[in-house]
Amino acid sequence: MEVSKILQEHEPVLLKDFISLSAPIKGCWIDGTFGAGGYSRALLQNGACQVLAIDKDSTTKTFFKILQNEYGDKVKFYNQSFADMGKNNEINSRNDICGVVLDLGVSSMHLDNPHRGFSFKKSGPLDMRMGNQPGPTASEIINLCSEATLADLIFFYGQERKAKKIANRIVTERKKRKISTTMELAQIIRAIVPKNFNKDPATRTFQAIRIAVNNELKDLSRALTCAEKIIIKGGIIAVVTFHSIEDKIVKDFGKIMSGNTSSNNRYSPPTSKTCASLIPLNKRPIVATANEIERNKRARSAKLRVYKKVSDCPSGLLTSMQFPEVELGI
Ligand SMILES: C[S@@+](CC[C@H](N)C(=O)[O-])C[C@H]1O[C@@H](n2cnc3c(N)ncnc32)[C@H](O)[C@@H]1O
């Protein structure tokens, strides 16, 4: 699809809610998930002086150039993972970052391009890498991981109850021939998971493989910890998540940083800050209205959480930010 058409049709999820909860928007912001630039553009239109845009997918540079033509030096682009924003010298040397926003997951550009291997609706190579990382690809995971690893991965990252059966069928099928395309994988899953009106049976397994390929959970936890250090007092961290594992990481992070976790065991080390460094600006996560979901199906699972930094209180031990981690062993 043409770039101008993508931009015309692109509706960033929960954008208005993000802007109104984060108001007044000012100073320099980091948009850690630039995509087609919808959030960056809205930040600039609503008071940000500068946006440092990050995306691990280098193809998003095309959209960045359009924004740069309009805003010049007010926008900068870094092709890297948001997990490494603290390692970026230009970003790290700044002491005026007023906000960090992450609108997680894949973009519609990823899903619409079958060659990227994210879609179970169109056939393409089993790839699923968002960035330029060497590997592993989805194909390597599907064809090389042990049956037990596949089952764990599909269960923990996809929350798929039929994980063991799917893993077993994948291993049986790959003995006959290499599983090479998204369609082949989707058919294997569809033969096991019953049909559901709302969701393709392959959704959860595809989510699981994508999370593993892109190291999504660890990257999110690293980015949140770094964002809290990077922003000034009064600054904002806003995150849009698309599934419950991501949302739990953000929620736990918010609890820890607001000194809101209690240890069950008085002998265990402290797991939260001794004083709050962040406060949540919304008690419950913001979800999309029925109207937004009707216009944009992707919005149906989106949740927005926004936090404000209230002090520079030193970090406690962040042991409660727990999430499932599956060793790939390949
Ligand atoms: C849902 S899209 C963002 C859409 C964007 N907010 C907009 O308005 O166009 C998510 C983007 O984040 C990028 N992304 C995902 N994980 C990332 C990571 N760890 N580091 C940097 N970019 C990441 C993806 O490549 C994708 O372009």
Side-chain angles (χ1 to χ4, degrees):
M1 208 192 291
E2 263 177 54
V3 171
S4 58
K5 188 138 195 277
I6 294 175
L7 281 176
Q8 255 172 28
E9 289 178 7
H10 179 58
E11 182 182 351
V13 172
L14 295 176
L15 181 62
K16 277 191 185 149
D17 302 271
F18 156 64
I19 293 293
S20 65
L21 261 177
S22 309
I25 287 168
K26 51 184 179 196
C28 177
W29 272 69
I30 295 177
D31 177 355
T33 50
F34 180 74
Y39 269 60
S40 289
R41 179 180 292 279
L43 281 165
L44 291 160
Q45 286 169 341
N46 285 279
C49 302
Q50 195 177 31
V51 172
L52 310 180
I54 297 175
D55 204 297
K56 72 198 291 196
D57 183 348
S58 59
T59 66
T60 60
K61 248 186 218 162
T62 314
F63 298 104
F64 174 74
K65 283 189 182 140
I66 295 173
L67 203 64
Q68 196 181 32
N69 282 341
E70 286 175 56
Y71 287 95
D73 285 350
K74 284 184 157 193
V75 286
K76 289 191 169 202
F77 183 81
Y78 305 99
N79 181 210
Q80 61 166 83
S81 170
F82 53 56
D84 293 327
M85 64 179 129
K87 289 187 191 161
N88 179 317
N89 289 338
E90 274 184 56
I91 295 178
N92 219 6
S93 62
R94 309 256 327 214
N95 53 11
D96 60 347
I97 305 293
C98 292
V100 174
V101 61
L102 303 175
D103 170 21
L104 297 169
V106 278
S107 63
S108 38
M109 286 80 75
H110 287 143
L111 293 171
D112 292 345
N113 181 350
H115 301 294
R116 300 295 300 265
F118 290 99
S119 175
F120 43 74
K121 291 188 179 144
K122 300 169 193 167
S123 195
L126 270 174
D127 191 321
M128 298 198 197
R129 285 171 299 173
M130 286 184 200
N132 314 322
Q133 72 262 32
T137 61
S139 170
E140 282 162 339
I141 290 178
I142 291 295
N143 289 289
L144 299 177
C145 280
S146 71
E147 185 176 332
T149 302
L150 283 172
D152 279 353
L153 199 146
I154 297 168
F155 182 75
F156 289 114
Y157 294 166
Q159 297 172 317
E160 171 58 70
R161 281 166 38 210
K162 305 262 182 203
K164 277 190 177 167
K165 276 195 172 172
I166 296 172
N168 180 269
R169 188 68 66 89
I170 287 172
V171 171
T172 308
E173 292 299 322
R174 80 186 186 193
K175 278 182 191 152
K176 298 179 204 159
R177 66 186 191 302
K178 186 177 171 192
I179 303 167
S180 306
T181 68
T182 53
M183 245 353 143
E184 286 172 66
L185 178 62
Q187 298 300 6
I188 291 171
I189 304 161
R190 285 178 190 139
I192 292 168
V193 181
K195 269 194 184 152
N196 170 315
F197 277 123
N198 296 322
K199 262 188 190 169
D200 188 297
T203 308
R204 289 176 183 279
T205 303
F206 269 61
Q207 171 188 301
I209 308 295
R210 198 200 79 205
I211 288 176
V213 167
N214 296 289
N215 206 15
E216 291 181 29
L217 306 182
K218 202 171 209 167
D219 275 9
L220 173 59
S221 73
R222 283 178 57 205
L224 292 172
T225 313
C226 184
E228 188 258 353
K229 291 201 183 87
I230 266 178
I231 57 171
I232 59 166
K233 196 171 155 189
I236 299 283
I237 297 176
V239 191
V240 179
T241 61
F242 288 89
H243 54 79
S244 58
I245 317 173
E246 275 175 354
D247 185 55
K248 185 172 181 311
I249 292 176
V250 180
K251 192 170 137 190
D252 286 354
F253 164 77
K255 278 189 182 167
I256 295 165
M257 293 299 172
S258 56
N260 219 348
T261 49
S262 54
S263 171
N264 295 333
N265 180 347
R266 67 195 162 110
Y267 302 111
S268 64
T271 55
S272 73
K273 292 197 149 202
T274 44
C275 63
S277 70
L278 296 180
I279 51 161
L281 294 185
N282 50 333
K283 271 213 169 124
R284 290 182 169 277
I286 306 287
V287 294
T289 59
N291 259 345
E292 179 169 356
I293 295 170
E294 201 173 306
R295 288 195 310 274
N296 184 2
K297 253 193 161 184
R298 242 191 116 238
R300 74 188 157 181
S301 46
K303 284 187 176 155
L304 167 68
R305 293 184 190 268
V306 183
Y307 300 92
K308 184 175 191 166
K309 185 161 173 176
V310 288
S311 85
D312 283 312
C313 176
S315 289
L317 292 174
L318 302 184
T319 49
S320 320
M321 209 152 90
Q322 283 167 354
F323 50 87
E325 274 190 277
V326 181
E327 275 296 323
L328 296 179
I330 51 173

